[in-house]
């Protein structure tokens, strides 16, 4: 019997809160505590159900079990009451009777509200109707819910409330809880895969004196004691490469990056990235590792390599097809970027083909726009695009066959990019020249261009071995594994407008 008021019924909500607070105060006045500090000896509901599973209808097991959870439903009256409680592992019925609890004990049970957290102990039994239940012999209120929870059947009606108050979404929707358990399993699978391959997990600064490693506008903050501006990192790349220079050889970091950009179905200002760097490897080695690693994450999270996607399925089984970047864009858009080597020419060709081409955008940004408009949405099955123009890839090594091309790939799936990888540029002079170009673009007003990082350049001058690097978007990977089409569904507490 849910007692939450209808949406917008502020008077009804205020009444319920007042009634619940009055119950908490009455308990305190009687010498009780509506928020005790512990409940030792508890087992999970799943463990209790496993113990009771062999019971026949009407049977009661020997011994007492001690469980706890949130009340999700209540029913019954007079000398008997039934409550459903739930923990992370499942749900179970509490069976309370006057003869076992006495008047005060039964009154304590029947006076509970939906949303309260209760501990109970007693033998596990199967009722004559076949329902597994704890035959309650004692109970304790563990946390009084002063606000009514969402209706378990109707759930949260407003999507913004689901994101802004995720705890209510988790409370009301078992599928929401299952999604974030799937996310955790996927991340564990990624870590296990890399650890087993000899990678070392490291931690690099979130507050950085120079923002770099990607084309993005940073968040800026100020350190009072040092009296200097610092930037929330937009990527871990440049610090992880310093680790390679120092001899760690195989490193990864799984953590938050921050980019001061808009929100969309695939963008959140803070997001989780996995970056890996392996000495003596190149981008072809990284591509094989990526396929295997995503497969390992899928197995850990879902038990298989095929996941639902809308009305279709995505098969993550390696190997994934490889396509040349410029050829693929030309096939999808009808615009051959090789034939339009400057921004004005490419802009005109894009507009003639019906694509948006912003005035003032650089050639590299126009190519990226063309990718996003024409090709990316069509790449539903996992696909690797290889060999990018150098203008799009300031940290990737040039191809030995074409100085205008770099050894880079991006992996796409579900109509979005999920990973980006390079044979890393380890020539400090070449890197300095490319950073100088980016610094000039920054000075010219491009607030997503990267400044020069003298310490990083100095690190390269000490010698970085040939290295393959990878960035894998965790949030987007979880979208694929759970069939979600919005990043806000798979981030526990996404950015929302006030």
């Amino acid at each position: 019997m849910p007692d939450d008021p209808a949406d917008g019924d502020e008077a009804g909500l205020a009444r319920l809160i007042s009634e619940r607070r009055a119950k908490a105060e009455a308990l305190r006045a009687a010498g009780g505590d509506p928020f005790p500090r512990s409940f030792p000896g508890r087992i999970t509901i799943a463990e209790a159900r496993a113990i009771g599973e062999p019971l026949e209808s009407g049977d009661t097991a020997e011994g007492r079990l001690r469980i706890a959870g949130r009340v999700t439903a209540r029913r019954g009256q007079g000398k008997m009451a039934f409550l459903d409680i739930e923990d992370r592992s499942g749900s179970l019925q509490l069976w309370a009777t006057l003869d076992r609890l006495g008047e005060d004990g039964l009154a304590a049970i029947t006076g509970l509200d939906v949303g309260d957290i209760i501990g109970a102990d007693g033998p596990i039994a199967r009722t004559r109707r076949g329902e597994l239940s704890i035959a309650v012999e004692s109970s304790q209120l563990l946390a009084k819910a002063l606000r009514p929870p969402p209706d378990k059947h109707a759930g949260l009606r407003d999507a913004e409330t689901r994101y802004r108050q995720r705890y209510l979404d988790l409370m009301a929707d078992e599928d929401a809880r299952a999604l974030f358990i799937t996310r955790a399993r996927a991340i564990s699978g990624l870590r296990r895969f890399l650890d087993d391959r000899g990678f070392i997990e490291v931690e690099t600064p979130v507050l950085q004196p120079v923002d770099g490693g990607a084309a993005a506008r940073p968040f800026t903050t100020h350190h009072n004691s040092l009296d200097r501006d610092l930037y929330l990192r937009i990527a871990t790349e440049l610090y992880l490469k310093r680790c390679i220079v120092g001899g760690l050889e195989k490193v990864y970091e799984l953590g938050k990056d921050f980019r001061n950009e808009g929100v969309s179905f695939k963008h959140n200002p803070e997001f989780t990235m996995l970056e890996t760097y392996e000495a003596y490897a190149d981008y072809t080695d990284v591509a094989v590792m990526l396929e295997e690693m995503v497969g390992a994450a899928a197995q850990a999270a879902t038990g298989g390599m095929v996941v639902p996607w809308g009305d279709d399925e995505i098969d993550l089984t390696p190997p994934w097809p490889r396509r040349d970047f410029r050829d693929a864009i030309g096939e999808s858009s009808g615009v051959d970027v090789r034939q339009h080597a400057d921004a004005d020419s490419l802009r005109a060709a894009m507009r003639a083909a019906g694509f948006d081409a912003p005035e003032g955008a650089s050639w590299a940004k126009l190519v990226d726009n063309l990718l996003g408009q024409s090709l990316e949405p069509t790449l539903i099955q996992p696909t690797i695009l290889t060999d990018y123009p150098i203008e799009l890839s300031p940290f990737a090594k040039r191809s030995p066959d074409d100085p205008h091309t770099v050894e880079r790939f991006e992996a796409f799936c579900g109509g979005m990019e999920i990973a980006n990888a390079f044979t890393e540029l380890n020539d400090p002079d070449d890197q300095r020249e490319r950073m100088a170009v980016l610094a000039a673009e920054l000075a010219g007003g491009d607030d997503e261009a990267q400044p020069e990082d003298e310490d990083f350049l100095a690190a390269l001058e000490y010698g970085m071995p040939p290295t393959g690097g990878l960035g894998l978007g965790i949030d987007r990977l979880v979208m694929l594994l759970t069939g979600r089409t919005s990043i806000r569904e798979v981030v526990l507490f996404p950015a929302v407008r006030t």
Side-chain angles (χ1 to χ4, degrees):
M1 59 170 65
D3 58 2
D4 54 322
D7 288 348
D9 184 1
E10 295 183 7
L13 176 60
R15 174 182 54 79
L16 291 174
I17 292 174
S18 177
E19 291 173 356
R20 287 167 177 251
R21 284 189 172 276
K23 290 182 180 181
E25 290 306 316
L27 180 59
R28 287 191 178 101
D33 183 357
F35 303 101
R37 63 166 39 87
S38 66
F39 189 69
R42 161 193 174 262
I43 65 172
T44 67
I45 285 175
E47 290 171 322
R49 294 191 72 91
I51 292 170
E53 194 59 39
L55 295 175
E56 301 287 341
S57 295
D59 288 349
T60 300
E62 294 184 1
R64 292 170 61 147
L65 304 181
R66 195 166 168 85
I67 66 169
R70 187 181 297 276
V71 177
T72 59
R74 52 197 174 120
R75 55 203 171 274
Q77 56 187 358
K79 298 181 180 181
M80 186 177 301
F82 296 96
L83 282 74
D84 295 334
I85 71 168
E86 185 177 81
D87 70 7
R88 197 185 79 185
S89 71
S91 63
L92 188 62
Q93 179 173 269
L94 300 184
W95 176 18
T97 62
L98 180 63
D99 61 335
R100 283 195 301 267
L101 291 169
E103 290 186 4
D104 290 344
L106 183 61
I109 287 271
T110 57
L112 292 171
D113 293 305
V114 172
D116 289 349
I117 297 174
I118 181 180
D121 65 81
I124 192 162
R126 196 177 287 278
T127 66
R128 282 176 294 178
R129 294 186 177 183
E131 183 72 24
L132 271 181
S133 308
I134 294 292
V136 182
E137 295 182 349
S138 67
S139 69
Q140 181 181 9
L141 176 65
L142 300 179
K144 181 65 187 175
L146 301 179
R147 290 175 176 267
D151 188 324
K152 289 284 289 185
H153 300 289
L156 292 175
R157 300 173 180 86
D158 180 58
E160 288 296 311
T161 301
R162 291 178 52 235
Y163 304 140
R164 194 183 309 277
Q165 295 176 280
R166 180 69 82 181
Y167 47 90
L168 296 181
D169 186 30
L170 296 172
M171 189 185 300
D173 187 353
E174 184 178 345
D175 288 341
R177 294 196 298 274
L179 185 154
F180 289 102
I181 292 171
T182 298
R183 179 184 176 113
R185 288 173 177 161
I187 290 172
S188 295
L190 293 171
R191 280 197 164 102
R192 188 161 49 247
F193 177 90
L194 290 167
D195 292 343
D196 289 347
R197 290 176 68 107
F199 281 80
I200 299 169
E201 183 172 10
V202 298
E203 296 168 287
T204 63
V206 172
L207 293 175
Q208 300 182 350
V210 180
D211 57 295
R217 184 169 58 187
F219 289 96
T220 306
T221 188
H222 186 77
H223 193 294
N224 291 333
S225 180
L226 297 177
D227 191 23
R228 67 183 299 187
D229 287 341
L230 295 171
Y231 305 93
L232 294 182
R233 69 182 179 203
I234 59 176
T236 56
E237 176 173 349
L238 302 189
Y239 280 91
L240 292 176
K241 287 180 181 177
R242 288 170 168 93
C243 295
I244 297 295
V245 170
L248 293 182
E249 293 189 351
K250 297 173 79 169
V251 296
Y252 75 92
E253 183 165 9
L254 203 160
K256 292 285 190 181
D257 289 341
F258 308 85
R259 299 183 184 178
N260 200 348
E261 59 191 9
V263 296
S264 75
F265 76 94
K266 58 182 180 179
H267 293 96
N268 194 59
E270 61 173 297
F271 55 97
T272 305
M273 282 290 292
L274 168 66
E275 290 200 36
T276 73
Y277 291 85
E278 180 177 1
Y280 312 110
D282 67 8
Y283 76 140
T284 61
D285 301 311
V286 174
V288 173
M289 184 184 77
L290 171 67
E291 295 169 328
E292 295 175 352
M293 184 167 60
V294 169
Q299 287 281 4
T302 71
M305 293 283 197
V306 179
V307 294
W309 189 253
D311 296 329
D312 202 351
E313 292 180 331
I314 290 176
D315 187 350
L316 298 169
T317 305
W320 302 347
R322 273 75 163 156
R323 299 174 64 186
D324 179 89
F325 174 81
R326 281 166 287 204
D327 288 346
I329 285 183
E331 292 165 7
S332 66
S333 68
V335 177
D336 186 348
V337 298
R338 293 184 179 90
Q339 301 300 316
H340 303 282
D342 62 83
D344 289 340
S345 173
L346 180 56
R347 185 178 295 107
M350 287 175 62
R351 289 175 176 175
F355 297 105
D356 180 48
E359 198 66 40
S362 67
W363 185 87
K365 288 192 173 182
L366 289 172
V367 173
D368 194 52
N369 284 345
L370 188 57
L371 168 68
Q373 293 179 69
S374 69
L375 178 59
E376 185 173 358
T378 71
L379 300 176
I380 305 302
Q381 297 301 320
T383 304
I384 290 176
L385 300 184
T386 67
D387 302 324
Y388 278 52
I390 192 171
E391 293 86 351
L392 275 69
S393 312
F395 296 110
K397 200 170 187 69
R398 296 176 195 263
S399 168
D401 302 320
D402 180 0
H404 302 294
T405 298
V406 294
E407 294 189 342
R408 173 188 179 186
F409 75 78
E410 287 184 304
F412 296 83
C413 196
M416 59 189 169
E417 176 205 344
I418 62 168
N420 185 26
F422 309 146
T423 301
E424 300 295 339
L425 178 57
N426 62 344
D427 180 337
D429 294 332
D430 190 355
Q431 184 66 85
R432 182 177 293 277
E433 290 176 6
R434 297 200 216 173
M435 276 193 163
V437 172
L438 295 172
E441 293 176 356
L442 180 64
D446 184 350
D447 58 5
E448 293 187 350
Q450 301 171 69
E452 289 190 72
D453 186 334
E454 285 297 334
D455 183 72
F456 172 66
L457 292 169
L460 288 185
E461 289 175 349
Y462 283 97
M464 186 176 83
T467 298
L470 168 71
L472 172 64
I474 299 300
D475 306 315
R476 295 184 185 179
L477 176 61
V478 176
M479 289 170 64
L480 294 174
L481 297 180
T482 58
R484 300 310 199 271
T485 56
S486 170
I487 195 171
R488 298 203 293 178
E489 294 285 345
V490 302
V491 174
L492 264 173
F493 301 102
V496 294
R497 290 183 171 85
T498 56

